[in-house]
Amino acid sequence: MLPKFVDAHHHLWELEAVHYPWLMAKGERRFFGDPTPIQKNYLPEDFLAESPRHRPVASVHIQVGAAEDQALRETEWLASLPDFPQAIVAFCDLAAPDVAEQLAVQQAFPRVRGVRQIVGRHIDEDRLHGSNTLLDSSAWVEGLRQLAAAGLSFDLQMIPNQMPAVLRALEQVPELPVALCHAGSPWDLSPTGLAGWKEGLTQLAALPNTVCKLSGLSMFKRDGTLDDLQPVVDSVLEVFTPARVMAGSNFPVDKLYHDYATVWDAYDRLTAGLNGAEKTAVFRDCAINFYRLSRVD
């Protein structure tokens, strides 16, 4: 049975309030597929109406590709929403010379808990956007240090072939709390691909302040049933243990492939081997502890 849950990874947007280039680019496919069906406002009432049977008790909003000069505007808009989200993970260019000032401005909003700056989406798209070059930047590592010094966390979105470079960077900032988004993006679900992904996952899990999200799984299994991802979920739970795993919907992006109830029912089945306390850890407590949310009993 699915316990009360925190949705630890979702998005909201209002196109009139904040400029999102990818939501305005018509006919451009992205690493997760064709965004056309979601290129419209997605507001708290839309999110909360996804499933009457599955209502999160709290949620964490993850920055979602606003234009870089709109990063603060995105946070301002989210902070103006009265109920959801309970926590905000904002954007900041951690390689920028004024990173400390950027973080201070973001941190002035009480619901801001951390930063996401994507280093890897998909190998093809990364070649176009160059986000993977951050991993070779000493300025970016210094930005991670500034993030840790500010008492904020880092949401890490990367792809498996980046794991060695990611490790080298994170080992220089061991005190930084890191949430690995989308289970480390296991795009290659072949036995060989999963073996390499799990090896990198194990190395990341050795960093004591790192947790892992079961999120965005529909991107890797776009047709059929999410139950086919049992090996992915089993590996995440084995490597990180339930105390260091949280779950998120990645809505509305994953709505391209599965509805909200389907995602959470699949999570329930995929974690059926856990006992009650372990399920509570995955679906509630890890997110509450990592993002410093109010307790929800």
Side-chain angles (χ1 to χ4, degrees):
M1 178 179 174
L2 188 69
K4 293 179 181 178
F5 68 92
V6 173
D7 191 331
H9 194 112
H10 76 90
H11 312 291
L12 301 167
W13 51 71
E14 183 176 5
L15 303 185
E16 296 78 22
V18 183
H19 178 53
Y20 303 90
W22 69 277
L23 285 169
M24 306 307 293
K26 303 302 182 183
E28 180 180 316
R29 288 188 66 84
R30 296 298 308 278
F31 66 99
F32 52 80
D34 180 3
T36 301
I38 58 173
Q39 288 180 313
K40 57 187 177 181
N41 287 346
Y42 191 73
L43 304 174
E45 53 264 37
D46 302 309
F47 173 67
L48 293 172
E50 290 291 359
S51 172
R53 291 193 301 113
H54 300 81
R55 292 285 295 268
V57 295
S59 79
V60 181
H61 181 279
I62 309 299
Q63 67 85 17
V64 65
E68 288 197 14
D69 64 356
Q70 297 270 291
L72 181 59
R73 179 69 192 118
E74 182 182 39
T75 302
E76 291 172 337
W77 176 71
L78 291 163
S80 74
L81 304 176
D83 298 318
F84 275 71
Q86 279 73 21
I88 298 168
V89 174
F91 175 82
C92 175
D93 180 4
L94 295 172
D98 64 342
V99 60
E101 290 81 358
Q102 287 190 50
L103 292 175
V105 172
Q106 290 282 3
Q107 204 169 13
F109 294 89
R111 283 188 271 173
V112 170
R113 298 292 193 270
V115 161
R116 180 173 76 158
Q117 184 176 21
I118 295 174
V119 299
R121 297 172 177 86
H122 185 280
I123 192 166
D124 295 332
E125 189 158 323
D126 294 338
R127 288 193 189 101
L128 294 175
H129 294 279
S131 56
N132 54 331
T133 60
L134 290 168
L135 294 169
D136 299 319
S137 168
S138 59
W140 187 71
V141 173
E142 177 56 30
L144 294 176
R145 293 193 184 98
Q146 295 280 349
L147 193 61
L152 296 170
S153 61
F154 183 59
D155 262 59
L156 169 64
Q157 185 170 334
M158 47 152 282
I159 57 177
N161 71 328
Q162 295 175 324
M163 285 181 176
V166 167
L167 268 172
R168 289 194 295 272
L170 294 184
E171 285 172 344
Q172 298 178 63
V173 198
E175 70 276 18
L176 177 66
V178 176
L180 179 61
C181 299
H182 309 330
S185 301
W187 288 108
D188 183 354
L189 296 175
S190 70
T192 300
L194 286 175
W197 161 79
K198 186 177 180 181
E199 180 181 356
L201 208 66
T202 302
Q203 294 172 332
L204 286 171
L207 300 170
N209 292 313
T210 301
V211 301
C212 187
K213 289 188 187 183
L214 296 173
S215 61
L217 299 188
S218 298
M219 295 189 296
F220 315 118
K221 183 61 182 175
R222 300 180 182 183
D223 53 9
T225 173
L226 291 171
D227 295 61
D228 293 338
L229 293 173
Q230 189 73 63
V232 171
V233 173
D234 287 347
S235 291
V236 168
L237 292 170
E238 174 193 343
V239 169
F240 277 91
T241 76
R244 296 170 62 197
V245 175
M246 64 181 85
S249 68
N250 196 38
F251 260 56
V253 176
D254 278 33
K255 188 176 182 175
L256 293 170
Y257 303 106
H258 301 286
D259 64 37
Y260 201 76
T262 296
V263 168
W264 289 100
D265 285 342
Y267 284 156
D268 193 17
R269 292 190 302 274
L270 289 164
T271 58
L274 302 181
N275 63 36
E278 290 169 333
K279 272 206 164 186
T280 298
V282 170
F283 289 106
R284 193 172 72 210
D285 289 349
C286 181
I288 286 173
N289 295 335
F290 187 87
Y291 289 112
R292 309 186 305 282
L293 301 172
S294 298
R295 296 299 306 180
V296 181
D297 298 318

